[in-house]
Amino acid sequence: MKRNKKIALLGVFLLLFANNTQAFSQDYTPRDAHLKYQSYFNLINIEPSWSNDLEVNKEVVVAVLDSGVDIDHPDLSDNIWVNSGEIPDDGIDNDGNSYIDDVHGWDFVESNNDPNPTLGADYNPVAINHGTVVAGIIAAVANQEGIIGIAPNAKIMPLKILNEKGSGNTMLLSQAIDYAVENGADIINLSLVGDFYDDFLQDSVENAYKSGVLVVAASGNEDDEGIDLDIEPHYPVCDIDEIDRVAGVAAVSASRRLTPFSNYGQGCIDISAPGVRFYTTTYFNADIPEFAKLYSNGWSGTSVAAPVVAATAALLKSHYADLRPYDIMTILNATAQDLEEDNPELYRDMGSGLIDVGAAINYAEDYYNQYVKILLAPKAGLPPEILIMDNEGDLESVFLAYGAKFKGGVNIAVGDVNDDGATEIITAPMAGGGPHIRVFDMSGGLVSEFFAYQHDFYGGVNIAVGDVNKDGIDEIITAPMAGGGPHVRVFDMSGALISEFFPYEHDFYGGVNIAVGDVNKDGADEIITAPMSKHVPEIKVYTYNNRRKSSFFAYGVDMTNGVKVTVADVNNDTWPEIVTVPAKGRSPEVKMFSIRGRLKGQFTAYSKSLTSGISILARDISGDKMPEILTLPSKGSAALLESYDSKGLEKDSFYLRDPEDKNGYNFEILSK
């Protein structure tokens, strides 16, 4: 299959209706001089996004893969992405990403670091303006001049993949998607389309989705009448394997009807957005009369509809940093305005409806507060893939924690270890891997890494995360698995050692399981330890600086096969319980204890005959703010996740993997 399949800028129609605009009837927060010309705002309920009560928790980067962006435009320059890893104009690839001096993006057409439009001999003025038009819709600065973008706090990463005539190929598109993902983009806007499927482009789209980057693509325009993409699919707007990785966008008119030029189709379109008579930023060059204006009116096409969706996604991501593509599209779809009345014959081909920015913002808070993700990491036998699933076990994305050849298994924990308001994923190899702790963001991007013990220790490392020193930031707590001494260590996210201690005899090499939780309600998480094997089942509770708070036996002293432990307030008495289960060789008898070892409840998970061991976590998976006791069988049994209340009543159960998959997994739950 050839790489260089042709793609084209979406025939945006430049409709000169400069006076056909609609002023707003109320006084809004923005004071941008040309706000009154942005009539498309009337369709999308944008006002709630201007609330001063909304907190921006993340600087979101939107990659605009297009014909170039005027990065010096006065309404865009402050919101152009800056690659902090590059030193400008020194001729060196400072950040090692294979692109020299890519301070503000990259020109993939001419292979240089200038992402501005290029005026060739036979340029098309629509093509020259196109990327700047799109960028302004997304992120024009709120500066009391010109217009305001839907996401005025977002940064634009300009990646030029279309030439001065508005055409390009899938090789450049694929490279630019990869660049965007690798260099920190959160959203990718594709106001372009092609007629042919391409394996390399599909691989790039899949990688973006797995990495937590939402790809938004226009449906495409036709000169006379839009086509049904279910019959004649276009790419990248159409998915090829029924997995919805791309947010496909159709265009509607001011009357909320599908525009005559917009392509449509149930299998490719996820949502619709305004697509006619946009007033927005344009390429500026005072020396050329046709480019001597900073703004122009009448831009129509699915090219301007797509950035409305991309910008709304950026808004959501800026307020709720942990949201992934699946979450964002779930929110947008759930809050879209119904289009059946205006499009009785075609509404099913227009996605979930017309995008509603305000409704999405309002709904996102409730969605985020019930945000639940299941993270799986394999035990020995499989590549070290971290699987991220929704609360029903449907796979959303995957990334590698270590090299694909390592199959020794991975331990996993979650927490905000860098105080950025978002959750990080922390991994550690099990037996056969060095003590290599790695910290990832939720998109699988590596944040930091360090070695918890000597490089030549290959016994495996257990990990937990919590704020053990009351500094408001989660620490990373480690303990060796079998073969290492009982050496508990506490680190910050960069690997700086904060404290260390030995909860058991120095010559004990059976391994230590660990959990954290504020079991005495003093405001700091305590470190709870349990032997992994070859030791009486003595649970110990320590502060991070080696003050032992309590110890007790979870089971009879004859039970020396190890204990697994977790912590949460599972019975809603306001005191976190220490929850235990035998590691293996015994029935899965779950017990709940106070900090002093008082038994507060017990039950048997699965069945008494299951003696191969189970993993256990106390986390909220239902979204009701009440932690459940979650169990998952060890290797040799199917990955059937069961949740129980503190009395042992089964609340839910479902398979996280195919029932035939009996490899065994470690798991963690992320919830708000």
Side-chain angles (χ1 to χ4, degrees), residues 258-302:
L258 182 72
T259 61
F261 55 75
S262 177
N263 294 335
Y264 54 90
Q266 293 185 47
C268 300
I269 303 304
D270 294 281
I271 197 165
S272 295
V276 297
R277 299 186 179 94
F278 274 56
Y279 183 93
T280 181
T281 50
T282 49
Y283 172 71
F284 179 75
N285 188 327
D287 297 328
I288 304 176
E290 65 182 322
F291 299 122
K293 293 183 178 180
L294 291 168
Y295 310 90
S296 68
N297 191 34
W299 293 92
S300 297
T302 57

Side-chain angles (χ1 to χ4, degrees), residues 43 225 250-264 272-277 301-302 305 337-347 349-350 353-354:
L43 290 177
E225 184 178 358
V252 301
S253 67
S255 61
R256 296 163 47 97
R257 292 184 60 81
L258 182 72
T259 61
F261 55 75
S262 177
N263 294 335
Y264 54 90
S272 295
V276 297
R277 299 186 179 94
T302 57
Q337 304 171 34
D338 184 72
L339 290 172
E340 181 177 2
E341 182 177 347
D342 302 295
N343 303 268
E345 297 180 355
L346 286 172
Y347 73 94
D349 297 307
M350 301 171 66
L354 174 61

Side-chain angles (χ1 to χ4, degrees), residues 55-64 78-82 138-139 151-157 183-188 212-214 309-323 328:
E55 183 177 354
V56 176
N57 294 309
K58 174 180 172 57
E59 182 179 272
V60 173
V61 177
V62 182
V64 174
D78 287 347
N79 275 351
I80 298 298
W81 172 73
V82 176
I138 296 171
N153 292 310
K155 299 299 181 185
I156 296 293
M157 177 190 288
N183 289 276
D186 300 286
I187 314 291
I188 294 174
V213 180
L214 177 64
V309 175
T312 307
L315 273 178
L316 295 174
K317 185 79 172 177
S318 70
H319 299 309
Y320 306 102
D322 285 334
L323 295 179
I328 293 171

